[in-house]
Amino acid sequence: MGAGSPALGAGVPVPEGGDRDFYGHPVPDPPNRGAYQEHGV
């Protein structure tokens, strides 16, 4: 995902979904779509 990606911030929080992504990154609110929660783009 890069800057301007439509997947950034387009996810829906999942109740009891955890606070880390597959790679251990914190999940933002709203989350990004997909397994990787890229930050700072």
Side-chain angles (χ1 to χ4, degrees), residues 17-28 32 34-39:
D19 61 351
R20 298 282 172 174
D21 71 5
F22 180 79
Y23 302 100
H25 301 114
V27 176
N32 301 326
Y36 180 60
Q37 301 299 306
E38 185 172 352
H39 294 273

Side-chain angles (χ1 to χ4, degrees), residues 4-20:
S5 171
L8 293 175
V12 177
V14 176
E16 306 299 324
D19 61 351
R20 298 282 172 174

